[in-house]
Amino acid sequence: MTMAGYDRSRLRKVRLYGVLLALLGVMMLPFYTMFSSTLKPENEIFSAPATLVPSDPTIQAYLDVWTQTDVLLWIANSFVISLGTVALTLALAIPAAYSCARNDFVGKRTFLLSVLVVQMFAPVVLIVGLFDVITQFGLFNTYLAVIIPAAAFTLPFNVWMLYGYFKTIPVALEESARIDGASQFQILTKIVLPLTKPALVASITYTFLYAWNRLLFVLTFLTDSAKYNVPRGVFSMVGALQTDWRMMLTVSVIGIVPLLILFAFLEEYIVAGMTAGAVKE
């Protein structure tokens, strides 16, 4: 490569990294603002002009949250709701996606397209009908009242993603196992699912995040404060006359920590699962 070509290549990289850093800065600014506000004294949060760096940093808000709120209970409830939604979603999505990937039957295309229809409706549009169903089945004020609707809205994405991934697994592998005497259940659990690990992790992560951040279902179907999740706990701090924004922001920051840990451990599988089937060979 000539010196001029080397300079052009280097200039392109500088521009690329500059654009990426600018985009990253724009995306991270709300999170940084939220975090920095938790370290400010209360009178500095709404000071004008606004400050990006706390003039007198303090962790008093974090100490107050631990002693004055049920943040640990909210986090525990978020885990119950999120893990329950993941379990129910995968229990339905895996057999549905696998059946569609391995079988040709009348109405398969219609079924797959119909599954997507659910994704076209915002949950708030269906909330009244869902409320009737939940109360009719006696599920009001139970975790299932939140888990079942959340699973219904995450199911389409999971069915389609797993369907695409199952299609990439060679049928010959399953036929060899069948010749060796393996049952269909053994083929699915011991051969297909281990090969589908990246897609499963991506499904689990997407479903977990969706359920973790749900406020509408908890707000509508749960009145017992002992079952509040993190978003509902934050919402409960909104007062009629006064709202403690510093405490709300602090609980929000604490509620994000488990999600960051999840992403840190599963980032590799998430990317692999999201891009699976994107390239047709």
Side-chain angles (χ1 to χ4, degrees):
M1 181 183 291
T2 63
M3 184 59 71
Y6 175 78
D7 289 342
R8 281 196 297 271
S9 175
R10 190 175 180 182
L11 183 59
R12 278 198 297 270
K13 287 184 179 178
V14 170
R15 288 174 179 170
L16 174 64
Y17 284 114
V19 171
L20 292 177
L21 285 174
L23 289 174
L24 184 63
V26 171
M27 289 188 291
M28 294 304 295
L29 182 60
F31 297 99
Y32 171 76
T33 304
M34 182 173 68
F35 175 70
S36 67
S37 295
T38 65
L39 301 177
K40 295 177 181 177
E42 194 160 3
N43 58 355
E44 190 182 344
I45 294 178
F46 297 105
S47 63
T51 57
L52 286 177
V53 180
S55 59
D56 186 17
T58 174
I59 61 169
Q60 187 59 45
Y62 289 90
L63 299 177
D64 292 342
V65 162
W66 291 118
T67 57
Q68 299 176 21
T69 71
D70 295 321
V71 64
L72 288 180
L73 177 65
W74 299 338
I75 291 175
N77 288 333
S78 290
F79 271 107
V80 171
I81 293 171
S82 300
L83 293 176
T85 304
V86 168
L88 181 59
T89 300
L90 291 185
L92 298 173
I94 289 173
Y98 182 73
S99 298
C100 290
R102 287 293 181 260
N103 300 292
D104 287 323
F105 53 87
V106 178
K108 183 173 109 174
R109 182 176 174 81
T110 303
F111 168 76
L112 288 171
L113 292 176
S114 300
V115 168
L116 281 182
V117 172
V118 179
Q119 290 288 80
M120 298 177 186
F121 294 95
V124 69
V125 176
L126 306 173
I127 200 67
V128 175
L130 285 172
F131 184 84
D132 287 339
V133 174
I134 293 296
T135 51
Q136 288 281 343
F137 282 90
L139 298 175
F140 187 77
N141 225 7
T142 67
Y143 289 121
L144 284 177
V146 180
I147 291 172
I148 293 175
F153 281 95
T154 55
L155 197 56
F157 173 83
N158 286 290
V159 168
W160 272 91
M161 188 172 67
L162 292 175
Y163 167 74
Y165 208 95
F166 285 144
K167 295 275 284 183
T168 65
I169 298 175
V171 180
L173 285 176
E174 300 178 35
E175 291 176 343
S176 299
R178 195 169 288 112
I179 291 173
D180 291 338
S183 66
Q184 188 59 55
F185 181 75
Q186 289 173 321
I187 292 173
L188 178 62
T189 55
K190 295 185 178 180
I191 296 177
V192 176
L193 290 184
L195 294 174
T196 321
K197 195 173 179 181
L200 287 176
V201 172
S203 294
I204 290 170
T205 306
Y206 166 78
T207 306
F208 189 92
L209 293 179
Y210 182 93
W212 185 278
N213 293 317
R214 284 311 92 190
L215 171 62
L216 179 63
F217 298 144
V218 180
L219 192 63
T220 307
F221 303 135
L222 296 181
T223 57
D224 184 0
S225 60
K227 295 186 174 69
Y228 285 178
N229 63 351
V230 173
R232 183 66 179 91
V234 172
F235 185 76
S236 68
M237 295 179 180
V238 177
L241 301 177
Q242 187 176 7
T243 299
D244 191 337
W245 291 99
R246 191 178 58 131
M247 296 277 276
M248 289 178 64
L249 292 169
T250 305
V251 174
S252 300
V253 169
I254 294 173
I256 291 174
V257 172
L259 304 182
L260 294 179
I261 295 173
L262 181 71
F263 261 104
F265 279 104
L266 302 178
E267 177 266 341
E268 180 183 351
Y269 291 109
I270 294 170
V271 174
M274 289 294 183
T275 56
V279 178
K280 186 175 182 180
E281 298 180 354

